[in-house]
Structures are given as C-alpha cells and as structure tokens.
Amino acid sequence: MELRMYIPGTQQKDEEEDGGPDISAAQLFHDTIKEKADIGQVSGESIVIFHEVLVSTPRGRYDIHMFPNFLRLHGKTYDYKVPYNTISRLFLLPRADEQNISLVVNLDPPIRQGQTRYPFLVLVFSRDEAMTAELNLDEETLSTKYEGKLAKSHDSLAHQVVSNVFRGLIGKNIARPSPNFAARSQDPSHPVKCSMKAIQGELYFLEKSIFFLSKQPYLINYNDIYNIVFTRLGGGMASGKTIDLRIEPKAGSDVTFSSIAKGEKDQIEEFLTSKNIRVKTEAADEAMAVDLGSDDDDDDEDMRSADSEEEKPKVRTGGGDDDEDSSEGFPSLKFRCGVTNVVI
C-alpha cells in the first residue's frame, strides 16, 4: 500500500533557534518520521557498493549496497531492501549470446513493485567487464565472522567479484550448469534455446534443478518432477527441426518448452535419465499418417466422381412448347395481346 500526503508551507528546522534555515514542512515531516521510527535508508556503513549494475528483472540500473544482514537496490525510481535470510539460491549462468553472464538471486518471499512480484533478481554482466572492490571490513572480522571466505580486496572480472561477495556475505553456494550436460556445441555451460508460451529464453540443466532464464524465470527441482515428455516428433514439416519438452510436475500444472532444436534431444534425454527422471516420447505414427492420407485421397476421389455425375447435363427428349419454354431456373411467361399469343 502506498500513502501520499500533501503538506504545504515551510518551517524552521530547529524551532528553538531563531533565524534557523527554513525547510519545507513536507521535508521536515519526512525527517521526523525517519528519526522517530529509526527507518533510515541504511543502518551503519555499507560493506561495499556496486555501482550502476544492469538488472533485467526488475528492469533498470541499480546501485547495490551490501550490508552485514541485507542488501539494498537503489535505482532512479525504486528502492528494494532484500534481507539475506530471504535469499534461497544463487545461480551463475552464461548466456547464449556468449557476451553476457547472469547472476540470478532466488527470493522467498519475493520482492514487490505494486501488484507485481519478483521471485528472482537477474543481474547481467559483460563477460569481459573488469571490476575492483574493497570491502569495508577489518581482517579480524574477515577471519572470524566470515571464516576466511571473503577477501578484503577483489580485482577480477565483474561477475566473479560480485558472485564471490554475494556467496561470502549471504552464505549460499552458487549453482552453475551441470558439467555432465553437454549440448550440441560440446560446451557444458551452453544453454538450450527454447520458448515457454510466447516468451523466449534459455533452458539450463543444473545438478539439482532445471532453470528457464527469461523475462519470467522458471525453476523446478528434479525431485518435484513426475514425468518429462518429448512431443512433436516425426509428424510433418513443422516439427521436422524442433521438438517440445513437457514437464509434468508432481504438483501443479504442466509446463511446455517449445522450439527446441531436434539435435538436443539425445543429450537432454541421456542427462535426465542419469538423474533418475522418467522420460517419455510421444512420436507421431508415420504409417498411420500415411494410411489416413490415403483414405482422405480415396474420399476426395469419391466426392469428385459424385460431383461429376451430378454435373452431367440432362438429355432433352421430345418436342413441344414445354420443351422449348424450359429455360433452366426460369418459368415461362405467356402474355395474350389481342388475338396473338406472345411467349417470353
């Protein structure tokens, strides 16, 4: 819920001192509430700040302030406070464009922007972007509280620096694509391009879960999967190059990923089988398709022969006025004018 108030006028900040600076009554009211409720933007100094980080979900560029117990996303329009105990998982996923790497933060409960919920934060870094960071922590704190998992100084690629700081402060391991899964490029980190409904994205096979990275990310654990079914196989030109993968969870609705390259099927099936997941294939019966096609052809020929018989012209026999006057579809009209009969 959002509450907006209009407070007109100005007022001295310190009423006990005459001649003090005047500020708006609204600003004074704002500062008073923050002081009384102790809800300032930060509580103490931040450990480190990552400036102008590109975030695709929720979209924008944010300064990320890391504190001992929470992080804060500070953007031009919105600010979010994320306690570390609401972060359930971290993922580091190379993108299919081979230019970017995403650090994905899984939130439970999700953050909100109006009526929209964001269960994932998706941070995007260039593969070649370098970064240096100095943590505002002494050596004793690093060795005792964080057990040597954090270094005071970081100088490396941006995604490595940020992911290492996240892992050390949050205390969560970072999941990566499974090295046992190799797609067509023989690169274990290469994702599978596909679509979920009208949303294009990339499918990652991790050690314990499947992750679909898009504008609306989707995550499911292998333990929660009842069946995985490959569909649209061997059934015509439209499905000749791509297949669909349908996930049937133990609870909830099925989810289908479409437009997967057909060459990915063997690697995906082999990997899922190694995870003790039941994999089925719904292949179209080509023989049945041929039989149905021949039956249709026979029906078409029967229809054409029936139509040809119906269209045969009728043979006229005999003579007389009725035969001469029988124009197709038009009755004969006769007018009597005096003694002469006129036939039209």
Side-chain angles (χ1 to χ4, degrees), residues 240-257:
K241 296 183 179 180
T242 62
I243 60 175
D244 294 350
L245 185 148
R246 184 173 74 247
I247 296 179
E248 299 176 352
K250 295 179 181 178
S253 303
D254 295 354
V255 177
T256 300
F257 300 101

Side-chain angles (χ1 to χ4, degrees), residues 192-195 232 241-245 257-261:
V192 176
K193 294 182 179 180
C194 60
S195 300
R232 284 207 318 137
K241 296 183 179 180
T242 62
I243 60 175
D244 294 350
L245 185 148
F257 300 101
S258 59
S259 302
I260 298 176

Side-chain angles (χ1 to χ4, degrees), residues 15 17 29 41 62 81 86-87 95 132 140 158 163 187 189 201 215 221 235 243 271 273 282 286 334 339:
E15 296 181 351
E17 297 182 4
F29 179 72
Q41 286 191 350
Y62 295 86
K81 179 180 178 181
T86 65
I87 297 176
R95 306 303 295 267
T132 59
E140 182 179 357
S163 60
D187 180 4
S189 62
K215 295 180 181 179
N221 296 327
I243 60 175
F271 177 77
T273 303
E282 291 182 356
E286 295 181 358
K334 296 182 180 181
V339 182

